[in-house]
Amino acid sequence: MPTDLTPSDPSSRDLSIVAIIPLYNGAEFIERSVRTVLAQTLLPDEFLVVDDGSTDEGAAIVERLAAEFPLVRLVRKENGGQSSARNLGVRESRSALIALLDQDDGWHPDHLEELRKPFEADRLERLGWVYSDLDHCDRHARLKTRELLSKLHHEHPKTRLAEALADDMFILPSSSLIRRRAFEAVGGFDERLSGYEDDDLFLRLFHAGWRNEFVPKALSFWCIYPGSTSFTPRMARSRLIYMRKLVETFGADESWDTNPVSHLIAPRFLRLLRGELDRAARTDNEALHRQTLADLDEVLPLLPPNHRRKMQMLLATKRNMRFNRWTRQNNVARFILGPWRLLMRPFRI
């Protein structure tokens, strides 16, 4: 937890910014994302694109842009995942504030200018990160939902650990500006994670006592589409790694009135697996269907005993069901999880 409570001299505070884009086979998007950084009303002091072992033309596109714009710097590494690429970008830079951008997302022109303002007013330097609302777009950056977070009715900024455990935090790296000192204090991104690494980072920042502020204005756009990282098998594997990490971190915490694992964490991941069963049915994906049933075996034992027994019995009756027209019509997801609607929401805690 930050402990230095001595007000700093505004004239001596370092508010320099590094922009970091992790790149992996993003030739389709990278020029668009780079140009949104170069179009900022407040340009970053450093700008790194970290090529994570791409095999397409993305790195060559960045080299061309770097020849035109000296601010752009290309860093190369062997493939290790988005978390390792972001961490390397931080290590290769010096600026006090870290601005992350995914290769297929983009910033509106006032993104950095608006996100830096709360840091300028932070005299005690206990502000760990600032984040904003965002626009939801398709892969071509065409608008689908303006100011998406305002439509989801989640808490912003974050003030309660219970809510952060019970549901996704809805803080995207591309919409945030992070104090380097806070980032380094919690160890940066967990490089085991290729999905949920953002929730993991911001949860650790919150738990360590760093403040956060929310700008209720879309300052970036988020492109989500089939084939993006939000729909990969790696994301599914990362989800379980993150769940195990939460269970390990909070399962032995005796300060809660009720068990946060059975009442917050397990229902959260059960809802996510319900969504995977739905998606397996919609996309006729038998492998996803089987994998999700296997993942349920790890989640169900974490539920409260009365709900766990009912769910396990019901799941056992349908485990060997053929993935046929009946399951593709989405009935299996409703049959397995539908009767216990209480499990679709966090328990009261």
Side-chain angles (χ1 to χ4, degrees):
M1 180 178 293
T3 57
D4 184 4
L5 299 182
T6 304
S8 60
D9 178 1
S11 64
S12 66
R13 266 183 275 160
D14 183 0
L15 296 176
S16 57
I17 298 174
V18 57
I20 299 171
I21 301 179
L23 171 65
Y24 179 70
N25 291 349
E28 177 183 355
F29 311 105
I30 190 61
E31 182 163 356
R32 181 181 74 198
S33 63
V34 166
R35 289 190 179 279
T36 69
V37 176
L38 297 173
Q40 291 296 294
T41 56
L42 174 67
L43 284 173
D45 299 273
E46 301 175 90
F47 183 9
L48 280 67
V49 178
V50 182
D51 177 32
D52 188 36
S54 297
T55 58
D56 68 359
E57 297 301 312
I61 294 171
V62 176
E63 287 182 327
R64 172 173 57 78
L65 291 168
E68 183 179 356
F69 303 98
L71 178 62
V72 180
R73 175 185 167 200
L74 177 66
V75 177
R76 296 179 184 269
K77 65 183 288 292
E78 293 183 359
N79 180 251
Q82 189 163 244
S83 293
S84 67
R86 290 169 175 156
N87 284 344
L88 178 60
V90 173
R91 291 195 301 271
E92 289 284 322
S93 63
R94 302 178 304 278
S95 296
L97 303 175
I98 302 164
L100 302 167
L101 177 60
D102 288 352
Q103 64 184 17
D104 47 0
D105 296 338
W107 292 341
H108 295 319
D110 56 346
H111 175 84
L112 292 181
E113 182 177 2
E114 292 296 321
L115 289 185
R116 196 176 75 166
K117 288 179 180 178
F119 287 102
E120 295 170 354
D122 180 34
R123 297 181 63 245
L124 296 179
E125 298 190 3
R126 293 176 60 90
L127 181 60
W129 80 98
V130 178
Y131 67 108
S132 73
D133 209 329
L134 52 94
D135 290 332
H136 174 207
C137 297
D138 65 14
R139 72 182 302 140
H140 304 293
R142 296 176 301 205
L143 184 66
K144 297 181 72 174
T145 306
R146 190 177 300 282
E147 296 186 343
L148 177 65
L149 299 188
S150 68
K151 314 295 191 297
L152 300 179
H153 306 296
H154 287 268
E155 179 187 61
H156 300 292
K158 302 302 176 182
T159 63
R160 294 179 293 164
L161 178 60
E163 179 166 306
L165 293 177
D167 208 342
D168 289 354
M169 294 187 74
F170 294 99
I171 305 172
L172 270 68
S174 295
S175 68
S176 66
L177 186 61
I178 307 168
R179 189 184 298 279
R180 174 184 291 272
R181 187 157 58 90
F183 182 90
E184 293 177 344
V186 300
F189 286 101
D190 185 337
E191 297 186 8
R192 297 174 300 166
L193 300 176
S194 296
Y196 297 92
E197 76 280 353
D198 44 2
D199 262 33
D200 175 68
L201 174 70
F202 294 115
L203 177 65
R204 285 185 285 119
L205 287 169
F206 179 91
H207 202 210
W210 293 95
R211 287 198 307 106
N212 67 105
E213 290 195 21
F214 176 66
V215 178
K217 172 185 177 182
L219 299 176
S220 62
F221 58 87
W222 177 45
C223 297
I224 189 74
Y225 49 88
S228 69
T229 55
S230 296
F231 291 106
T232 63
R234 179 181 284 186
M235 170 72 85
R237 291 191 296 271
S238 190
R239 177 176 55 226
L240 279 188
I241 294 172
Y242 181 45
M243 185 192 76
R244 293 168 189 149
K245 187 174 181 179
L246 292 179
V247 170
E248 180 181 355
T249 302
F250 296 100
D253 188 344
E254 298 179 353
S255 65
W256 298 81
D257 293 333
T258 53
N259 188 338
V261 172
S262 60
H263 288 71
L264 297 174
I265 297 170
R268 169 188 181 175
F269 286 90
L270 187 63
R271 293 194 306 275
L272 292 170
L273 292 174
R274 161 69 185 268
E276 289 290 82
L277 285 176
D278 287 345
R279 188 160 66 87
R282 290 196 309 271
T283 59
D284 199 14
N285 188 333
E286 183 172 4
L288 177 61
H289 173 80
R290 296 297 179 191
Q291 182 59 56
T292 304
L293 292 179
D295 292 347
L296 280 167
D297 281 336
E298 187 162 347
V299 176
L300 296 185
L302 304 176
L303 294 169
N306 57 327
H307 295 288
R308 178 174 68 237
R309 286 192 294 269
K310 293 176 182 178
M311 296 291 289
Q312 287 174 327
M313 289 175 58
L314 193 55
L315 183 61
T317 65
K318 294 298 174 182
R319 177 165 301 284
N320 296 318
M321 182 189 306
R322 290 181 58 207
F323 190 76
N324 54 24
R325 184 172 180 269
W326 189 80
T327 62
R328 288 197 297 271
Q329 288 173 336
N330 206 17
N331 289 328
V332 69
R334 295 193 184 103
F335 187 80
I336 290 174
L337 300 180
W340 288 280
R341 294 185 182 276
L342 179 62
L343 296 176
M344 297 300 102
R345 302 180 181 86
F347 291 84
R348 293 186 179 274
I349 192 165

